[in-house]
Amino acid sequence: MPAPALSERSGCDVWLKLEGCNPTGSFKDRGMTVAVSAAVGEGATAVVCASTGNTAASAAAYAARAGLRGAVIVPEGKIATGKLAQALVHGARVVALRGNFDQALHLVRELVDRHPVALVNSINPFRIEGQKTGAFEVCDQLGEAPDVLCVPVGNAGNVTAWWKGFVEYQVAPRLHGYQAEGAAPIVRGAPVENPETVASAIRIGNPARWEEATDAITSSRGEIRAVSDAEILDAYRFLGEREGVFCEPASAAGVAGLLRYGAEGRVVCVLTGHGLKDPTTALASAAPVVPSEPAIEEVERAALGGE
Ligand code: F0G
């Protein structure tokens, strides 16, 4: 989707890739449908993942569809409400870990070593194969590759997948990856033990595909930088109020990065997940509702303000 307000503010020709339009509301579906199909092909009866929320929602949905059992391990109290609801509605066993995502991922790796269940985190190569199709679609839809792709980075599977897609498409846009300041291990060059950010989806301190992500960014002559929570929320509100697009906070990190650090030419910002995933953050950062008695003068005052 073209982004006229963002183009005006940034001075670039900005487009948005709305990954929130996928079946469970995030880009994870691109890879999850492939990973779960492969698991079925290999005779698995259950899938498992660690997740900040979206992978869990997607794994639960595709496992349900395939008739597999699903278990998801999430950091307790740190995943957005919509994602939790999705995982539960799809019948997955949801484990609230008293720990963070990095610990959850470590534990699921151990779990699959001990039991014949399929791991569907993005360390699973089928996930990358599915997710690379985002790159094909962007090039097909624009008629050519963009100059720059802005994308949030968490566990670093997605930036890896986009680059694989571009390489296979034989194009080479610059990849601009953005981490949240409180969860920016790749930018700092060292793991972050207690990552913190309002963008709960990318609250990750030790990304599994760290090296591949660094390779992708270097090969594309791109960059990886950090943005603050305030910048993320500013971009989040700007998208909602000026572009009419509701994404989740992590998704706004790519736009926040573009606004802070700039870029040149035609830029695609990947909005990785839908805003409805995280109603709590939405309501906390929006204006309050206006109460009114059921009388026309009251409604006039409430609806039109001082006009
Ligand atoms: N944006 C959203 C909305 C995400 O959910 C994630 C990752 C990312 C960006 C970052 O992608 O990890 O491939 O670098 N979410 C994972 C999850 C970690 O468990 O749902 P990444």
Side-chain angles (χ1 to χ4, degrees):
M1 239 183 67
L6 203 51
S7 297
E8 196 186 328
R9 184 167 164 191
S10 66
C12 305
D13 175 21
V14 186
W15 295 66
L16 303 171
K17 181 65 174 154
L18 305 187
E19 292 292 89
C21 296
N22 283 296
T24 75
S26 86
F27 70 93
K28 305 287 180 180
D29 296 336
R30 292 182 184 277
M32 197 57 73
T33 183
V34 187
V36 171
S37 299
V40 170
E42 288 158 6
T45 56
V47 299
V48 65
C49 67
S51 180
T52 57
N54 280 323
T55 300
S58 187
Y62 285 87
R65 183 87 188 168
L68 303 182
R69 283 177 297 120
V72 303
I73 317 239
V74 301
E76 184 178 37
K78 296 290 186 181
I79 79 166
T81 316
K83 304 173 188 179
L84 180 60
Q86 287 179 289
L88 291 168
V89 162
H90 293 304
R93 187 180 282 251
V94 178
V95 179
L97 188 76
R98 298 195 185 96
N100 62 30
F101 171 84
D102 303 291
Q103 292 166 308
L105 185 59
H106 179 79
L107 289 163
V108 290
R109 283 187 198 247
E110 230 176 280
L111 201 66
V112 297
D113 280 346
R114 295 174 179 220
H115 302 275
V117 292
L119 182 63
V120 293
N121 277 106
S122 62
I123 48 180
N124 178 328
F126 291 109
R127 283 279 310 278
I128 304 299
E129 293 305 308
Q131 282 173 217
K132 75 184 181 190
T133 60
F136 302 163
E137 262 181 38
V138 158
C139 295
D140 287 348
Q141 288 168 344
L142 289 177
E144 61 184 356
D147 297 300
V148 176
L149 187 93
C150 293
V151 63
V153 175
N155 208 29
N158 205 31
V159 69
T160 302
W162 278 89
W163 183 240
K164 187 165 199 287
F166 286 129
V167 168
E168 290 182 15
Y169 208 92
Q170 300 187 320
V171 293
R174 290 178 197 272
L175 297 187
H176 287 196
Y178 300 103
Q179 300 195 294
E181 240 163 46
I186 304 180
V187 177
R188 288 161 164 231
V192 176
E193 200 169 332
N194 296 308
E196 271 310 337
T197 168
V198 68
S200 59
I202 52 171
R203 186 172 166 272
I204 292 174
N206 193 7
R209 289 199 182 261
W210 187 321
E211 261 179 49
E212 292 97 319
T214 308
D215 282 352
I217 285 161
T218 312
S219 307
S220 80
R221 295 169 301 127
E223 56 187 48
I224 178 135
R225 295 215 162 122
V227 287
S228 70
D229 279 5
E231 289 166 331
I232 289 173
L233 290 176
D234 173 63
Y236 171 78
R237 283 188 289 259
F238 187 85
L239 286 163
E241 290 172 8
R242 301 292 308 283
E243 295 290 2
V245 173
F246 187 19
C247 67
E248 64 172 287
S251 309
V255 172
L258 169 66
L259 291 174
R260 171 153 173 195
Y261 297 105
E264 272 178 28
R266 182 178 276 184
V267 179
V268 170
C269 294
V270 185
L271 300 186
T272 47
H274 201 287
L276 288 171
K277 294 268 190 178
D278 189 355
T280 313
T281 304
L283 293 172
S285 72
V289 298
V290 185
S292 172
E293 294 302 323
I296 185 63
E297 298 78 12
E298 284 275 336
V299 173
E300 264 174 347
R301 212 173 8 251
L304 307 175
E307 283 166 41

